C-alpha cells in the first residue's frame, strides 16, 4: 500500500517526525517495557527522565541543520502568528491553561486520609517463618553457607549473579539504594552502604526481609510499605543466603550475631 502525498509530506517533516518519536518513546516506556520478560511497570519519575532524555535528543537532531531547524519551527510559528489558525491558537491556550491548573490543583488539593502511624525502620522479626511451606526458625539462625568456608567463593559468585539479575534496578550498582528505578519509590530502596541498614542486622533478619518483602512487613513497618516483592516466590533459599553473603562482602559490614552484642563496624572483628 502506497502512502498518499499528504502522508509522505507529514512523514518527511522534521516537526512531525519529532512528534512521532516522542509518542513512540512514551508508548514503549509505559506499555511495551512492562511486557518484557522479567520487567515491571516503569515508575512515573523514571518515565519523565526517559522522556526528557528523548526530548533533548530530538532537539539536538532537529537543530543540527539550519534548514531542518527552520522547517521544524514552521508549524509552531504558524500556530502562534497566522490569522487563519486563530481558533487553533485559542484552543491551545485553553488546553495549556487547563492542564497547568489541573496539575497545580492536584498538588495543593487536600486529601482525606487516615493519620499516619509511627513507622519502625527495622521492625521486630517473627521467631519463625514459613519458606515455601517449610518452617524456618529465625531466632539464633546464622547463614548456613558460612558453615562451608571452602565454598564461600562459589556462594559469593552466586550471590553476585542473583543481585545483578534481580536487585540492581532498585538498590544500585554500588549497593547504595541509587538504582535507576529508586526515585520512583517511597520509601527509597535500602542503602546497604549505610551503617543503619544491614550493619545493624543479623543475617536471619535480612533473610526474613528478602524472603517476605514488603507484603511480609508487620503493622509497625507501615504506612510506607516497602515495594520489595516476596523474593521467596522467585529465589531459592540458597540463592537468598548467597545474595546476603554478597551484600556483606561488598559493603564490608560484619553481620550481627546471636552470641554476643557490641558495637558494629566495618571490617573483621568489629561486628556484634
Amino acid at each position: 500500500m502506497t502512502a498518499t502525498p499528504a502522508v509522505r509530506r507529514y512523514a518527511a517533516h522534521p516537526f512531525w517526525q519529532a512528534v512521532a518519536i516522542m509518542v513512540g518513546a512514551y508508548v514503549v516506556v509505559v506499555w511495551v517495557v512492562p511486557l518484557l520478560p522479567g520487567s515491571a511497570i516503569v515508575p512515573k519519575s523514571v518515565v519523565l527522565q526517559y522522556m526528557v532524555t528523548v526530548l533533548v535528543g530530538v532537539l539536538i537532531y532537529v537543530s543540527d541543520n539550519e534548514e531542518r531547524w527552520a522547517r521544524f519551527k514552521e508549524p509552531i510559528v504558524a500556530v502562534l502568528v497566522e490569522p487563519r489558525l486563530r481558533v487553533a491558537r485559542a484552543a491551545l491556550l485553553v488546553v495549556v491553561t487547563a492542564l497547568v491548573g489541573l496539575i497545580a490543583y492536584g498538588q495543593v488539593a487536600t486529601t482525606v486520609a487516615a493519620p499516619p502511624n509511627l513507622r519502625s525502620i527495622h521492625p521486630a522479626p517473627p521467631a519463625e517463618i514459613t519458606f515455601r511451606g517449610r518452617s524456618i526458625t529465625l531466632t539464633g539462625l546464622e547463614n548456613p553457607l558460612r558453615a562451608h568456608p571452602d565454598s564461600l567463593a562459589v556462594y559469593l559468585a552466586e550471590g553476585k549473579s542473583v543481585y545483578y539479575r534481580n536487585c540492581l534496578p532498585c538498590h544500585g550498582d554500588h549497593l547504595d539504594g541509587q538504582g535507576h528505578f529508586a526515585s520512583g519509590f517511597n520509601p527509597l530502596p535500602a542503602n546497604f552502604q549505610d551503617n543503619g541498614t544491614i550493619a545493624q542486622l543479623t543475617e536471619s533478619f535480612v533473610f526474613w526481609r528478602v524472603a517476605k518483602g514488603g507484603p511480609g512487613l508487620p503493622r509497625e513497618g507501615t504506612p510506607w510499605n516497602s515495594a520489595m516483592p516476596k523474593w521467596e516466590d522467585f529465589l531459592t533459599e540458597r540463592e537468598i543466603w548467597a545474595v546476603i553473603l554478597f551484600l556483606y562482602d561488598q559493603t564490608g559490614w560484619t553481620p550481627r550475631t546471636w552470641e554476643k552484642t557490641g558495637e558494629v563496624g566495618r571490617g573483621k572483628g568489629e561486628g556484634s
Side-chain angles (χ1 to χ4, degrees), residues 44-66:
K44 291 182 179 179
S45 59
V46 178
V47 173
L48 178 61
Q49 293 174 20
Y50 278 118
M51 294 308 298
V52 169
T53 302
V54 173
L55 177 61
V56 171
V58 167
L59 291 177
I60 291 174
Y61 167 73
V62 297
S63 62
D64 181 59
N65 179 279
E66 286 294 337

Side-chain angles (χ1 to χ4, degrees), residues 60-81:
I60 291 174
Y61 167 73
V62 297
S63 62
D64 181 59
N65 179 279
E66 286 294 337
E67 181 182 356
R68 187 188 302 128
W69 179 239
R71 293 188 63 203
F72 173 80
K73 294 186 294 183
E74 286 174 356
I76 302 174
V77 174
V79 170
L80 293 177
V81 301

Side-chain angles (χ1 to χ4, degrees), residues 67 78 106 170 222 244:
E67 181 182 356
C170 296
T222 57
I244 291 171

Side-chain angles (χ1 to χ4, degrees), residues 73-197:
K73 294 186 294 183
E74 286 174 356
I76 302 174
V77 174
V79 170
L80 293 177
V81 301
E82 290 191 10
R84 65 185 179 86
L85 296 177
R86 185 179 295 108
V87 175
R89 185 160 54 248
L92 181 63
L93 177 62
V94 171
V95 170
V96 171
T97 303
L99 183 60
V100 172
L102 183 62
I103 294 174
Y105 176 78
Q107 295 292 325
V108 301
T110 58
T111 58
V112 179
N117 299 318
L118 294 177
R119 178 176 185 264
S120 173
I121 301 299
H122 300 310
E128 184 178 271
I129 63 171
T130 58
F131 185 91
R132 298 188 178 184
R134 186 174 71 86
S135 295
I136 297 178
T137 300
L138 296 179
T139 305
L141 179 64
E142 303 290 353
N143 191 330
L145 302 186
R146 294 189 184 276
H148 308 282
D150 294 340
S151 301
L152 280 182
V154 175
Y155 298 144
L156 285 171
E158 182 178 355
K160 178 180 180 180
S161 176
V162 171
Y163 181 87
Y164 278 92
R165 289 200 318 268
N166 302 281
C167 314
L168 176 69
C170 296
H171 293 284
D173 190 44
H174 300 290
L175 287 73
D176 56 0
Q178 296 298 315
H180 51 279
F181 282 178
S183 60
F185 298 113
N186 182 20
L188 293 172
N191 174 7
F192 300 126
Q193 300 287 357
D194 187 271
N195 61 6
T197 56

Side-chain angles (χ1 to χ4, degrees), residues 42 44 71 114 157 166 210 217 220 225 227 240 251 266-267 270:
V42 182
K44 291 182 179 179
R71 293 188 63 203
N166 302 281
V210 173
L217 277 171
E220 60 267 26
N225 290 321
I240 294 178
T251 58
R266 290 188 184 269
E270 296 180 351

